[in-house]
Amino acid sequence: MSGTATTKLPQSAASLSAYSESDIPIYTTVASYREWRRKAFMENRSVGFVPTMGALHEGHLDLVRKSLVENDLTVLSIFVNPAQFSPHEDLETYPRTLEHDLKLLAQQQHLVVSNTPNTHSTSTITGQPTHIRRPSAVFLPSVSEMYPHGISQDASLQRGTFVEVKGYADEQMEGKSRPGFFRGVATVVTKLFNVIQPTNAYFGQKDIQQALLLRRMVTDLLLSHPSAQNLHIVPTARDPLDNLALSSRNAYLSPSGRKVAPTLYNALKAAEHCWFLEGKSKKECVDAAREVIHRVRNTEMGTLDGGGMEVEIKLDYIEMNDAEDFEVLEDEVTLQSRGEDASTVILSGAMWVNGTRLIDNLLLGDLGHRK
Ligand code: AMP
């Protein structure tokens, strides 16, 4: 299959040596990818899809590994989507590390134990036939491939077709702080689904509003590749030492900023404790989270590091929303008043560490739990 891959990388991409080192076929055009996908359809092979903006870390790789386990073939896309960045955001400086990304991808593998004779080799552990799954393809389109008529970051200048998930985007959580962001995300993911035609798609809980909104979009648009049941949400990967949610934007943090960054997670944990163990109201629990951030902000660590460098942390929001309809919980609601049949609550927040905006969330309850 690798013979059909396009070897010409877009201007912004890394050198060809990165491509040859990783050995994973890279498709930079819709047409060349579609040819590969057509063969996978003909061979009845399942395709798992992990959409990313690159600068890969263990969080992305968790999604890749899950896809390798659950699918015959795994495709990862790398595309920094201009439509989801507003004009004042970090589109130009967003980390781009293609060479490293391809190396990391090449290291991912899953050993499949099979009962069917005639497959590859024999496992020394089980004595059964085995084969190894590795990422099968990378989709690395240019901006003009994804937006043939061009794309402005200024929404008022945009023309053509865009996808909006009304009631789930601009009034709540991330959407409230970043107007137009989810319109950009829903539009590019629709395009990517149309191209990749995945059997299964994998998204991180780290961006819970995005994942649930896309599931709603897939249901509303009657998409089949993937179907809503096949859009999977994978738990947030964290730093094992201090639980900071892994993120490509963590690369922006100074050493002192990195030290205070887990404050957001600690604040959410305080609210979770307040909700489940103290049985207090939403308002009291959100206040408990804010208090954690204010305490750190007012200590020396929050404003100055050891060398006298300033670290400024600023809360953007802490909120609690119903995971079904994204409605903000009323201030006086408690775990008990919601009742046992209530749906899961998204406890989420965003915090600035100097110029870097960090997000995180915890699910209070189980996403499978329906009203
Ligand atoms: P991004 O490259 O930031 O657009 O992320 C691509 C995918 O990786 C999205 O589905 C994210 O939710 C997911 N992701 C990013 N960070 C993490 C993390 N720490 N744990 C799990 N998934 C993540």
Side-chain angles (χ1 to χ4, degrees):
M1 276 193 222
S2 60
T4 59
T6 306
T7 53
K8 195 167 157 274
L9 295 175
Q11 292 285 302
S12 59
S15 67
L16 282 173
S17 63
Y19 162 68
S20 55
E21 254 179 58
S22 90
D23 249 10
I24 302 172
I26 298 175
Y27 297 90
T28 59
T29 64
V30 172
S32 62
Y33 173 80
R34 284 202 164 129
E35 183 55 23
W36 179 89
R37 183 66 180 98
R38 195 180 58 78
K39 289 181 191 158
F41 268 127
M42 275 171 24
E43 291 174 13
N44 210 13
R45 309 241 242 152
S46 57
V47 171
F49 177 41
V50 179
T52 80
M53 298 206 297
L56 302 186
H57 51 65
E58 281 299 314
H60 298 111
L61 298 178
D62 272 358
L63 310 193
V64 170
R65 288 186 284 258
K66 190 155 168 58
S67 174
L68 289 174
V69 171
E70 296 181 353
N71 299 276
D72 299 321
L73 304 169
T74 289
V75 178
L76 177 130
S77 66
I78 299 178
F79 181 64
V80 183
N81 173 34
Q84 70 191 63
F85 288 78
S86 64
H88 68 273
E89 287 184 332
D90 56 346
L91 175 63
E92 293 309 320
T93 55
Y94 193 83
R96 289 165 171 88
T97 59
L98 181 63
E99 196 160 343
H100 186 242
D101 292 351
L102 294 175
K103 274 192 193 140
L104 286 178
L105 273 182
Q107 291 162 7
Q108 306 310 310
Q109 57 177 44
H110 171 66
L111 191 67
V112 181
V113 178
S114 156
N115 291 320
T116 23
N118 168 31
T119 35
H120 319 270
S121 60
T122 303
S123 163
T124 50
I125 306 165
T126 62
Q128 290 175 304
T130 63
H131 73 276
I132 293 171
R133 283 187 191 151
R134 295 200 165 88
S136 317
V138 172
F139 184 55
L140 183 72
S142 61
V143 172
S144 61
E145 193 71 12
M146 293 301 286
Y147 295 94
H149 292 280
I151 180 74
S152 170
Q153 281 176 264
D154 180 347
S156 69
L157 301 177
Q158 291 170 351
R159 298 287 177 274
T161 307
F162 291 85
V163 180
E164 282 185 40
V165 188
K166 286 192 175 286
Y168 286 77
D170 288 348
E171 306 300 321
Q172 303 95 344
M173 300 178 268
E174 279 304 278
K176 199 168 168 188
S177 294
R178 303 179 71 187
F181 170 69
F182 285 117
R183 179 170 172 271
V185 169
T187 302
V188 81
V189 173
T190 303
K191 286 165 176 268
L192 287 168
F193 283 171
N194 274 334
V195 177
I196 306 296
Q197 295 283 300
T199 319
N200 291 288
Y202 298 86
F203 291 87
Q205 187 198 315
K206 159 91 187 327
D207 300 284
I208 188 66
Q209 185 175 6
Q210 165 176 288
L212 292 172
L213 168 149
L214 291 173
R215 215 182 240 171
R216 172 70 196 242
M217 177 189 87
V218 162
T219 309
D220 289 349
L221 295 180
L222 311 177
L223 297 192
S224 60
H225 287 80
S227 63
Q229 307 87 278
N230 289 347
L231 193 158
H232 307 281
I233 302 177
V234 178
T236 303
R238 299 181 178 281
D239 183 301
L241 293 180
D242 61 13
N243 289 309
L244 176 66
L246 303 185
S247 163
S248 305
R249 287 192 170 97
N250 291 351
Y252 297 148
L253 294 169
S254 66
S256 39
R258 174 64 188 78
K259 269 190 220 153
V260 296
T263 304
L264 178 57
Y265 173 80
N266 295 336
L268 295 176
K269 287 301 276 184
E272 181 190 50
H273 184 276
C274 165
W275 181 254
F276 281 123
L277 296 176
E278 297 172 22
K280 290 189 176 165
S281 70
K282 174 244 166 148
K283 181 175 186 317
E284 289 168 303
C285 295
V286 167
D287 284 347
R290 289 170 180 275
E291 180 52 32
V292 170
I293 291 174
H294 290 152
R295 233 183 5 246
V296 173
R297 198 178 61 182
N298 294 335
T299 64
E300 210 178 317
M301 181 168 81
T303 50
L304 291 174
D305 75 1
M309 296 281 292
E310 283 223 24
V311 187
E312 207 193 329
I313 63 178
K314 198 171 91 201
L315 178 62
D316 184 344
Y317 70 90
I318 299 278
E319 198 42 277
M320 286 170 76
N321 298 67
D322 185 298
E324 296 272 322
D325 56 16
F326 288 9
E327 286 295 318
V328 176
L329 265 55
E330 301 285 340
D331 277 354
E332 60 282 0
V333 167
T334 64
L335 174 66
Q336 200 184 15
S337 74
R338 268 176 79 77
E340 282 189 2
D341 290 336
S343 55
T344 297
V345 171
I346 302 168
L347 166 62
S348 65
M351 182 183 92
W352 290 92
V353 177
N354 291 337
T356 304
R357 188 167 176 279
L358 304 175
I359 62 169
D360 203 346
N361 70 81
L362 298 173
L363 291 173
L364 308 183
D366 173 4
L367 264 189
H369 195 146
R370 293 276 176 273
K371 264 183 203 161

